[in-house]
Amino acid sequence: MTTTSSCESCGMPIESGRYCDYCTDDAGALQSFDDRFASMAAWQARRDPAASENDIEQQVLDYMATMPAWRDHPRVQAR
Ligand SMILES: [Zn+2]
């Protein structure tokens, strides 16, 4: 039996810890908001190529608002 939880930064299923490998740096610390935002925006832009840059930004901020790691971040609060 493995206990699965989800990354508190991006929601990806993980086996242990709070964050997945994509959301942490080499030392295992959570990456900065700007780094995660840029990665998620690039990922979202691939999923939804027709969306404008502004739409992508809004979608990513809406998604981050559901993540425990980011929902209190000023950029998310200000969206
Ligand atoms: Zn993650």
Side-chain angles (χ1 to χ4, degrees):
M1 285 284 288
T2 45
T3 315
T4 52
S5 51
S6 43
C7 174
E8 291 183 18
S9 166
C10 72
M12 195 172 94
I14 48 174
E15 283 181 18
S16 63
R18 295 177 65 188
Y19 308 115
C20 72
D21 290 344
Y22 298 104
C23 293
T24 51
D25 61 20
D26 291 342
L30 182 64
Q31 292 173 8
S32 70
F33 176 89
D34 288 337
D35 283 344
R36 289 319 302 153
F37 183 83
S39 300
M40 287 192 210
W43 180 74
Q44 184 66 24
R46 280 196 300 274
R47 286 184 60 200
D48 193 355
S52 71
E53 206 168 304
N54 216 32
D55 287 342
I56 295 291
E57 195 166 305
Q58 204 56 49
Q59 288 164 6
V60 171
L61 289 175
D62 284 348
Y63 184 72
M64 290 176 102
T66 68
M67 293 294 125
W70 307 117
R71 64 185 166 208
D72 295 327
H73 191 279
R75 282 283 306 281
V76 173
Q77 294 281 307
R79 82 192 193 285

